[in-house]
Amino acid sequence: MCGIVGIVGGTAATGSGSFTVRRMADRIRHRGPDGDGVWSDVEAGIALSQRRLAIIDLSSAGAQPMISHGGRYVIVFNGEMYNHGALRRYLDAEVGSCSWHGHSDTEVFLTAIEVLGLKRALELSVGMFAFGLWDRRERTLILGRDRLGEKPLYYGRIGKTFAFASELKAFQPLPEWRPEIDRNALALLMRHNYIPAPYSIYQNIRKLRPGHFLVLSHPMHEPSVESYWNASDVAEQGRRQPFQGSPDEAVDAVEHHLRRALEGQMIADVPLGAFLSGGIDSSAVVAVMQSISPRPVRTFTIGFNEAGYNEADHAKQVARHLGTDHTELYVSERDALDVVPQLSSIYCEPFADSSQIPTFLVSKMARGDVTVTLSGDGGDELFSGYTRYALADAFWNKLSRIPIGLRRASAGLATLPSPGLYDNVAGGIMQLLPRRLRRERVGDKIHKAASVLSLRSADDVYRRLCSHWEPDEIVRNAIEPPTMLTGLEALPALPGNVERMMYIDMMSYLPDDILTKVDRAAMAVSLETRVPLLDHRLVSFALSLPLSILRAGGQTKWPLRQLLNRHVPKALVERPKMGFGVPIDAWLRGKLRDWAEALLDERRLREDGFFRPEAIRRAWSEHLCGQRNNQYLLWDVLMFQSWRETTQAGSAAAAA
């Protein structure tokens, strides 16, 4: 587990490449405090560096940058290859006992590339990773990222230098670094609360998409990008050949796949544990871990004293039943609030999922005892856990029965400024709205209804349901780019609306929100996180399960629930889903009010020139007086404003 950086051309060809990449790597030292390394070739114009968090093979034989046995390739690698033992045996059989220097997974993967070729090595890989690979013979740079996007990788051209890094902050030491905020990416942030790949907050800097690799033949040429694992193909394969067994056999298969994934992911040369919230996903992971482990698994959870935000008691009961070595820490409001000023440096681009705060706190606590933790992320996307899937599907089924012409006419009437018309239209269309919107004031309800009456598909409904701001409301001079929700690529042919929503989330919300949140929070304290539910073999199987099994008996995540019931009494885990969050709404009216007011000052917003202040100030006023809970809308803007303030201060300090 590491932080990786590299440059090609420009600075790397001047003789100062080694110095530059070392400074770049130092900016992400938190990702790898155990050591560093640099490799460069001035004539070829290439320099690579890495910060190491030693997990597998703690000796110098696992150090990077690493040169292949035959000398053709040099790699910097971030992540883990969980099947490196089996792959090593396969390579020995293929070439007749390789001359191994150590037992690191990086050496095995690099040897596989040299012996089998890049695509075959990637196809055989089971893991989470991002890497930079230099082909010394072809003078070509190759970047790659794991199938589901657990590990990050940014790239772009800065002046005459092509650069890549695990985090954006690593680009700051580049002599020609003059970043400009991408207003179009800001529009995406306001809609999603995160910036989806391939975009980043800066112009000309991109994120490599999951399951893809990039090939650069010249620093001033455009790189080619292609996929080596196509989730659309996997999803369509699952539709063409759905699971044919009984529901109980499906549960058996899920447990088999999860056990196999855990057998690889529980290997480490350092202490290992797991996050345990007491919910279905993390409890299922820990239950199977404990069934494999010869000793009590280390488990960690944090608790809050605020009602509605605390799952620590549930986690303790599950841990007690399973016999884990459990650690819990109740954090005060002050502990959580103290994290807020750190968020802009933890997340190298603006990121507005407020559960980033408890995620950082539980990571910090776990790092006191272990270097690796496993999490239950991915269960909702793979096993249909979000209630919004059924909500959006039911809403569209009702809405689609009304002819589009009548809906458009009704939408026009609904927006007329007549109280009488509001009353008349309200009765007819309120029942079409999701229940959470029915609790709003009549005027708000009418405008919500009017905005959705003209939607043309279930995909449009889901996009609206998942949106925070409509970017046109608040972002100046921006054109919202295409994403998974808006046609970045054609969606696979799936049997129903719910399956399409799950696929969209798996390809966007999961890597760009959930996995980003966990990676940055954990790596900020030098903690490796692993996500066993995202073993690509388990993912492929989950995509073959029909909705009748995923939601058997009207329950979400039915296979995972049944698996967990084999290990833990149902009474310990059957309860309403609770998000992993903090009371941002109350904090913004209380202890964060002055901080927020300064960032949302109308004059400041206007002078900065990124936002239209009117809608933001209206949302702020409504929130303060308790008229509406606008915490998510406001947090999006606040995280951008805070991030920009921090980066500006950092740039000024660097210039000085």
Side-chain angles (χ1 to χ4, degrees), residues 240-256:
R240 289 192 300 269
Q241 298 179 351
F243 178 75
Q244 298 292 329
S246 69
D248 286 341
E249 289 171 333
V251 178
D252 292 339
V254 170
E255 183 155 15
H256 162 74

Side-chain angles (χ1 to χ4, degrees), residues 355-377:
S355 62
Q356 60 201 142
I357 296 172
T359 303
F360 173 77
L361 289 168
V362 73
S363 298
K364 184 178 179 181
M365 177 186 65
R367 187 61 177 94
D369 295 301
V370 300
T371 311
V372 178
T373 57
L374 277 63
S375 81
D377 293 307

